[in-house]
Amino acid sequence: MSLVRTAVPSDVPHILAMIHDLAIYEKEPDAVKNTEDMLTRSLFGDSPQVFAHVVEGDGDGPDIVGYALWFLNYSTWEGTHGIYLEDLYVRPEARGGGYGKALLRSLAEIAVERGYARVEWSVLDWNEPSINFYRSLGAGPMDGWSTFRLDGEALGRFGATGDETPAL
């Protein structure tokens, strides 16, 4: 039986290694800027705003075979929090062993116990294995919604004082 547990500081190197593996899988191998120190501060600092669970394997190979990294969001319509799943990753050699399902179930249990309205996440359009897995759990896409992101130079320009952008 696999064990899902809250991450501890000694898990950080394993989580960061899997973050790098996920970036490679998502075809962004050079995009990760995170470091062990940054991740440790984010997860275990004075007032953490991001959380992680890990799942341990059942035998051979690395002890930690997957992780879920998440944070709280808020629904103004529901009037309560939800969980936003930033990353769900299971090492390729452990996929199909129920580890991803166990990680997602642990987040669903937290949401139910705390009275949160939902667990949500994004998935790349081309990632059919994950899409099929999520659908098998009863999850579905949010039709009619598009994800927007303000980052990099555009964030710097817009966040700088005196930016002249057109008003809506």
Side-chain angles (χ1 to χ4, degrees), residues 39-53:
L39 189 56
T40 299
R41 281 193 309 272
S42 294
L43 292 171
F44 306 106
D46 290 338
S47 181
Q49 302 296 307
V50 64
F51 311 96
H53 283 77

Side-chain angles (χ1 to χ4, degrees), residues 4-132:
V4 175
R5 60 174 174 77
T6 302
V8 296
S10 61
D11 295 329
V12 166
H14 304 286
I15 295 170
L16 188 60
M18 288 184 285
I19 289 171
H20 282 278
D21 292 345
L22 178 59
I24 292 167
Y25 178 76
E26 292 184 352
K27 302 179 174 119
E28 294 282 346
D30 300 320
V32 178
K33 297 179 177 99
N34 209 345
T35 66
E36 285 186 22
D37 287 341
M38 292 166 68
L39 189 56
T40 299
R41 281 193 309 272
S42 294
L43 292 171
F44 306 106
D46 290 338
S47 181
Q49 302 296 307
V50 64
F51 311 96
H53 283 77
V54 296
V55 62
E56 296 177 353
D58 292 330
D60 297 334
D63 288 342
I64 297 173
V65 297
Y67 76 99
L69 196 133
W70 58 278
F71 53 89
L72 296 180
N73 57 18
Y74 183 78
S75 170
T76 56
W77 290 6
E78 295 284 341
T80 189
H81 285 290
I83 290 175
Y84 187 84
L85 175 61
E86 178 67 21
D87 286 353
L88 176 69
Y89 184 78
V90 174
R91 294 180 188 275
E93 63 274 14
R95 291 182 189 152
Y99 301 114
K101 186 175 185 177
L103 283 163
L104 268 173
R105 185 180 311 278
S106 73
L107 298 186
E109 288 171 352
I110 290 169
V112 169
E113 288 169 6
R114 296 181 186 178
Y116 297 163
R118 58 187 170 219
V119 177
E120 61 188 350
W121 60 92
S122 298
V123 60
L124 291 165
D125 292 338
W126 56 260
N127 192 346
E128 285 296 323
S130 293
I131 291 169
N132 292 336

